[in-house]
Structures are given as structure tokens and as C-alpha cells.
Amino acid sequence: QVLLVESGGGLVQAGDSLRLSCAASGLTLFSTYAMGWFRQAPGNERSFVAAINRITGAIYNVDSVKGRFTISRDNANNMVFLQMNNLNTEDTAVYYCAAGRGPFKAVRTPVGTDDFASWGQGTQVTVSS
């Protein structure tokens, strides 16, 4: 059974940074899975933030991230991270970690929720002005 557990969310001020972590278990050959981060603000649909493939590397939602966020992974420890810098109030949302649909199944743009099969419970990020 796949389990994804996010951590690192919280309440910060505009301009601050946060680093989200996702601990994955139950994924055989974790390093070969595409991993992603999505976010969902109240009243909005869940939207893509960033993803990382084993071979082709990172993909970002450029419009919302604008070079402020960086996704990375630690395959030795089955972890995925999202470094978020220069946060603003529009970044307020629940952030979800997601795992792809199988080993060696890379995701490509446009990236959507259908590209991922497993989801964490989410971690709240609130940015105050």
C-alpha cells in the first residue's frame, strides 16, 4: 500500500520561505516514479505546481511558480521536497504530494491530476500579507 505523508506547512509572512517534505512508502523502485506537488485553495480545483521525473528532471507550472519553487528528491530515503521562496498570499493553499502511475512512467506537460495515482493528505500553507 502506497503512503505519502507531507510535512513542513505552516503560517508565514509574504516574502518568507518554506520547505515541504513528502515521505513515501510502499513504492517499489521509488526512484523510477514521477513525483509531484499540487495545491488546492478554497473554492478552487487542485492545480499542478511541480513534478520530477527520474530521467528528464523537473517540470514546473511556470505561471504560478515563476522560478520561486524548486522540486527535488532523495531517492535513498524515498523523499520528495518542495522549496518555496518569496511566498505571497496567492500561494495559500493545501499542498499535496503525489506519486505517478507506475515505475518508469514519466509525466510530460501538460501535467494534470490524472498523471498521478497516489496522493497524500496534504499540508496547509498560509501566507499572510
Side-chain angles (χ1 to χ4, degrees), residues 9-122:
L11 173 63
V12 297
Q13 292 186 329
D16 287 350
S17 299
L18 275 177
R19 187 193 194 207
L20 304 183
S21 300
C22 172
S25 60
L27 290 172
T28 304
L29 300 177
F30 170 81
S31 67
T32 67
Y33 275 77
M35 299 296 296
W37 288 96
F38 286 72
R39 66 186 183 185
Q40 187 168 17
N44 291 349
E45 294 184 351
R46 194 168 297 189
S47 63
F48 169 66
V49 176
I52 186 165
N53 290 308
R54 178 193 183 205
I55 300 297
T56 56
I59 305 170
Y60 295 97
N61 183 334
V62 177
D63 290 341
S64 62
V65 169
K66 297 179 182 178
R68 299 179 296 124
F69 293 5
T70 302
I71 188 172
S72 61
R73 65 192 301 164
D74 177 358
N75 291 327
N77 292 294
N78 289 10
M79 297 285 294
V80 182
F81 307 98
L82 185 67
Q83 177 67 42
M84 306 186 295
N85 298 328
N86 193 22
L87 287 160
N88 58 59
T89 56
E90 294 180 350
D91 296 316
T92 295
V94 177
Y95 284 72
Y96 296 92
C97 177
R101 294 198 166 276
F104 304 106
K105 293 184 183 298
V107 297
R108 297 173 177 84
T109 54
V111 180
T113 55
D114 289 345
D115 291 309
F116 297 88
S118 303
W119 297 84
Q121 293 298 306

